[in-house]
Amino acid sequence: MGPRTRSATSSPTKKALESNSGVAREDLKYSGPQPRLFILPKHLSSDARILFLRHPRDSQLKRYLFDPKSGVFEFTKVIAHSLDPRSVLFATHDEDDEESANSNPSIPSLATGHISKNAEVFVATLIDPIFVAIPLLKTSTPGGDKRLLQSLDDLLDSFETKSNHLRHIVCNEIYRKRLEQRLEAICDTVDAGEKMFRLNEEKLTREILAEARQAATKGLPASLEERFVTRALESPILSVKREEEAVIATMKRPHDGFDEDDPGDAGLEFTDAAPIPPLSSVSTEQAVDDENAPKEIVDLLRLRTAVTFITSSYLPKDLSTLISLRLQSEDSPIKFTPLEQHLKHLAKLREEAMASRSLSDFSRKRGPVEDEGALEERAEKKRKQEEEEKRKKANESRGVRDLKKVNVTGMKKMSDFFKKPPTAKSKS
């Protein structure tokens, strides 16, 4: 006999629903390229293009939006957290788009709608022209490590990786003027018929510091502020043990029938006695917050956070290290010494807090001290338990008490006689 299968439904309503749902799924199926959601500036010219450029940090090819009038924009990908998955619905609300899609059905269209499983959003963010030209300015000459003054065209010709997209940006007349103005802020320049540039690390440091100061003044993003400023300046919580002390206070003899002029009391004085420790000391933990960090310290930490973010995101590693060393040197345009001292002070307080916390945990393991209320509660619970046991024993019969004394080791229980006997195994 063959295996049973589920028979087809005989209901005409179900058949109609199944046929309609199959057609709907075919109609909604989108076979074109995976759509992506881009958030672009409002006022873009008709010459705006998406180009591939080398990222100044790691020299990887990445997409950029170039508009001669607006500038160069990088795409920042914003995705939902893995614990909170999202999706994006792509659909059109324009009747013209639906008509164009119906007129040419061979072209894939989103007129019927499409759901993207990955809720990725690419936001176009304007970047400084300095970071566009950094890969060009780092190009060393064949004669050695010393860099010579060169024009933008010569820098393009000597660039290690030929990039037509980068040449398209540099040779654009509208954008080239803005690029040359920004390069003058970080380069040594000479005007010999055409402007020639050479990277100056000191000027670059000052320009990065100025941009970081501007970003810190406007306010860091909430994530950076919370992680690198607020948490870094949090004062530790110290565990302080306070012990109550019993002190015998000074008092005068009251007039309780004794005469002050009694010669029997002559020569006796009532003074403060030494503090007598209590029989049980109560240990409490109190949060000891250091005084709030001065505004100067907070501003310095915000500035250093902004500098670190810019250098680690838009500059090569060697230039980033060079700027960090310059900011730590004596010739630095800004001094982070007060910030370093305050951070060391906080680190020392955290070590003391960890030490005191470990000591308090050790003493708590050796023998916790309980107050009188807990002791009374435990004694009351024990007394009730004993009374319950006595009441149960009083209600037991003599036979039950005698049966408890019997040694039942090796004996079967009554339930074993009512079990189903095991089936015998078939011999092969």
Short mmCIF file of all heavy atoms in Angstrom, two decimals, residues 241-267:
data_model
loop_
_atom_site.label_atom_id
_atom_site.label_comp_id
_atom_site.label_asym_id
_atom_site.label_seq_id
_atom_site.Cartn_x
_atom_site.Cartn_y
_atom_site.Cartn_z
N LYS A 241 33.15 52.62 54.78
CA LYS A 241 32.61 51.88 55.91
C LYS A 241 32.46 52.83 57.08
O LYS A 241 33.41 53.41 57.57
CB LYS A 241 33.54 50.72 56.28
CG LYS A 241 32.96 49.82 57.36
CD LYS A 241 33.86 48.63 57.59
CE LYS A 241 33.27 47.70 58.64
NZ LYS A 241 34.13 46.53 58.89
N ARG A 242 31.22 52.97 57.53
CA ARG A 242 30.93 53.87 58.64
C ARG A 242 30.53 53.03 59.84
O ARG A 242 29.65 52.17 59.72
CB ARG A 242 29.80 54.84 58.27
CG ARG A 242 30.16 55.78 57.13
CD ARG A 242 29.00 56.69 56.83
NE ARG A 242 29.34 57.64 55.79
CZ ARG A 242 29.90 58.82 56.00
NH1 ARG A 242 30.21 59.19 57.23
NH2 ARG A 242 30.15 59.63 55.01
N GLU A 243 31.14 53.25 60.95
CA GLU A 243 30.85 52.50 62.15
C GLU A 243 30.32 53.45 63.21
O GLU A 243 30.91 54.50 63.47
CB GLU A 243 32.09 51.79 62.68
CG GLU A 243 32.62 50.71 61.73
CD GLU A 243 33.81 50.00 62.33
OE1 GLU A 243 34.28 50.48 63.38
OE2 GLU A 243 34.24 49.00 61.75
N GLU A 244 29.20 53.05 63.78
CA GLU A 244 28.63 53.85 64.85
C GLU A 244 29.44 53.64 66.11
O GLU A 244 29.87 52.53 66.42
CB GLU A 244 27.17 53.43 65.06
CG GLU A 244 26.29 53.67 63.85
CD GLU A 244 24.88 53.19 64.11
OE1 GLU A 244 24.67 52.64 65.21
OE2 GLU A 244 24.02 53.38 63.23
N GLU A 245 29.64 54.71 66.78
CA GLU A 245 30.45 54.66 68.00
C GLU A 245 29.59 55.10 69.18
O GLU A 245 28.83 56.07 69.09
CB GLU A 245 31.66 55.58 67.88
CG GLU A 245 32.64 55.14 66.79
CD GLU A 245 33.81 56.09 66.70
OE1 GLU A 245 33.74 57.16 67.34
OE2 GLU A 245 34.78 55.74 66.03
N ALA A 246 29.75 54.32 70.23
CA ALA A 246 29.04 54.66 71.47
C ALA A 246 29.95 55.54 72.30
O ALA A 246 31.09 55.17 72.61
CB ALA A 246 28.68 53.39 72.24
N VAL A 247 29.49 56.69 72.60
CA VAL A 247 30.29 57.66 73.35
C VAL A 247 29.55 58.01 74.63
O VAL A 247 28.33 58.26 74.60
CB VAL A 247 30.53 58.94 72.51
CG1 VAL A 247 31.37 59.93 73.30
CG2 VAL A 247 31.20 58.59 71.21
N ILE A 248 30.28 57.96 75.67
CA ILE A 248 29.72 58.37 76.96
C ILE A 248 29.94 59.87 77.09
O ILE A 248 31.07 60.34 77.14
CB ILE A 248 30.40 57.62 78.14
CG1 ILE A 248 30.21 56.12 77.95
CG2 ILE A 248 29.84 58.09 79.46
CD1 ILE A 248 30.90 55.32 79.02
N ALA A 249 28.87 60.61 77.13
CA ALA A 249 28.96 62.06 77.15
C ALA A 249 29.20 62.55 78.57
O ALA A 249 28.91 61.87 79.55
CB ALA A 249 27.68 62.68 76.59
N THR A 250 29.78 63.75 78.62
CA THR A 250 29.99 64.37 79.92
C THR A 250 28.67 64.88 80.48
O THR A 250 27.86 65.42 79.76
CB THR A 250 30.95 65.57 79.76
OG1 THR A 250 32.13 65.10 79.14
CG2 THR A 250 31.27 66.17 81.10
N MET A 251 28.47 64.61 81.71
CA MET A 251 27.22 65.05 82.33
C MET A 251 27.49 65.42 83.79
O MET A 251 28.48 65.01 84.38
CB MET A 251 26.17 63.95 82.25
CG MET A 251 26.57 62.66 82.97
SD MET A 251 25.31 61.43 82.82
CE MET A 251 26.11 60.07 83.72
N LYS A 252 26.58 66.15 84.31
CA LYS A 252 26.66 66.55 85.71
C LYS A 252 25.72 65.70 86.52
O LYS A 252 24.70 65.22 86.02
CB LYS A 252 26.30 68.02 85.88
CG LYS A 252 27.39 68.98 85.48
CD LYS A 252 27.03 70.37 85.90
CE LYS A 252 28.16 71.34 85.58
NZ LYS A 252 27.83 72.69 86.03
N ARG A 253 26.07 65.52 87.77
CA ARG A 253 25.22 64.80 88.69
C ARG A 253 23.93 65.56 88.89
O ARG A 253 23.94 66.72 89.26
CB ARG A 253 25.93 64.62 90.02
CG ARG A 253 26.84 63.39 90.10
CD ARG A 253 25.98 62.22 90.46
NE ARG A 253 26.72 61.00 90.57
CZ ARG A 253 27.22 60.57 91.73
NH1 ARG A 253 27.22 61.31 92.81
NH2 ARG A 253 27.75 59.37 91.79
N PRO A 254 22.78 64.97 88.64
CA PRO A 254 21.53 65.68 88.90
C PRO A 254 21.24 65.70 90.39
O PRO A 254 21.86 64.98 91.18
CB PRO A 254 20.51 64.85 88.14
CG PRO A 254 21.07 63.46 88.14
CD PRO A 254 22.57 63.63 88.08
N HIS A 255 20.32 66.54 90.74
CA HIS A 255 19.92 66.60 92.14
C HIS A 255 18.95 65.46 92.41
O HIS A 255 17.74 65.59 92.30
CB HIS A 255 19.24 67.95 92.45
CG HIS A 255 20.19 69.10 92.28
ND1 HIS A 255 21.13 69.41 93.21
CD2 HIS A 255 20.33 70.00 91.28
CE1 HIS A 255 21.81 70.48 92.81
NE2 HIS A 255 21.34 70.84 91.63
N ASP A 256 19.55 64.27 92.66
CA ASP A 256 18.73 63.09 92.91
C ASP A 256 18.84 62.62 94.36
O ASP A 256 18.92 61.43 94.64
CB ASP A 256 19.14 61.97 91.97
CG ASP A 256 20.64 61.72 92.05
OD1 ASP A 256 21.31 62.44 92.80
OD2 ASP A 256 21.12 60.80 91.33
N GLY A 257 18.94 63.58 95.28
CA GLY A 257 19.04 63.20 96.68
C GLY A 257 20.44 63.27 97.22
O GLY A 257 20.66 63.16 98.42
N PHE A 258 21.41 63.46 96.32
CA PHE A 258 22.80 63.59 96.75
C PHE A 258 23.13 65.06 96.86
O PHE A 258 22.82 65.84 95.97
CB PHE A 258 23.75 62.91 95.75
CG PHE A 258 23.54 61.42 95.68
CD1 PHE A 258 22.71 60.88 94.73
CD2 PHE A 258 24.19 60.58 96.57
CE1 PHE A 258 22.54 59.50 94.65
CE2 PHE A 258 24.01 59.22 96.49
CZ PHE A 258 23.19 58.66 95.55
N ASP A 259 23.79 65.39 97.88
CA ASP A 259 24.17 66.79 98.11
C ASP A 259 25.46 67.08 97.39
O ASP A 259 26.41 66.29 97.43
CB ASP A 259 24.31 67.04 99.61
CG ASP A 259 24.46 68.52 99.94
OD1 ASP A 259 24.43 69.31 98.96
OD2 ASP A 259 24.59 68.85 101.12
N GLU A 260 25.49 68.20 96.64
CA GLU A 260 26.71 68.55 95.91
C GLU A 260 27.87 68.79 96.85
O GLU A 260 29.02 68.63 96.47
CB GLU A 260 26.47 69.81 95.05
CG GLU A 260 25.47 69.58 93.93
CD GLU A 260 25.31 70.82 93.11
OE1 GLU A 260 25.95 71.83 93.45
OE2 GLU A 260 24.56 70.79 92.13
N ASP A 261 27.54 69.22 98.07
CA ASP A 261 28.62 69.49 99.03
C ASP A 261 28.95 68.27 99.88
O ASP A 261 29.65 68.37 100.88
CB ASP A 261 28.21 70.65 99.96
CG ASP A 261 27.99 71.93 99.16
OD1 ASP A 261 28.65 72.04 98.10
OD2 ASP A 261 27.17 72.76 99.60
N ASP A 262 28.44 67.11 99.40
CA ASP A 262 28.71 65.90 100.17
C ASP A 262 30.20 65.58 100.12
O ASP A 262 30.77 65.47 99.02
CB ASP A 262 27.89 64.74 99.60
CG ASP A 262 27.97 63.50 100.51
OD1 ASP A 262 28.66 63.56 101.55
OD2 ASP A 262 27.36 62.50 100.14
N PRO A 263 30.88 65.43 101.23
CA PRO A 263 32.32 65.15 101.18
C PRO A 263 32.63 63.79 100.57
O PRO A 263 33.75 63.54 100.12
CB PRO A 263 32.72 65.20 102.65
CG PRO A 263 31.48 64.94 103.41
CD PRO A 263 30.37 65.53 102.61
N GLY A 264 31.60 62.91 100.49
CA GLY A 264 31.88 61.61 99.88
C GLY A 264 32.15 61.69 98.40
O GLY A 264 32.78 60.82 97.82
N ASP A 265 31.66 62.79 97.76
CA ASP A 265 31.87 62.97 96.32
C ASP A 265 33.06 63.85 96.03
O ASP A 265 33.30 64.20 94.88
CB ASP A 265 30.63 63.57 95.68
CG ASP A 265 29.45 62.62 95.80
OD1 ASP A 265 29.67 61.39 95.87
OD2 ASP A 265 28.32 63.13 95.82
N ALA A 266 33.75 64.27 97.04
CA ALA A 266 34.88 65.17 96.83
C ALA A 266 35.99 64.46 96.07
O ALA A 266 36.33 63.32 96.36
CB ALA A 266 35.41 65.69 98.15
N GLY A 267 36.57 65.16 95.12
CA GLY A 267 37.69 64.60 94.34
C GLY A 267 37.26 63.77 93.16
O GLY A 267 38.11 63.34 92.39
#
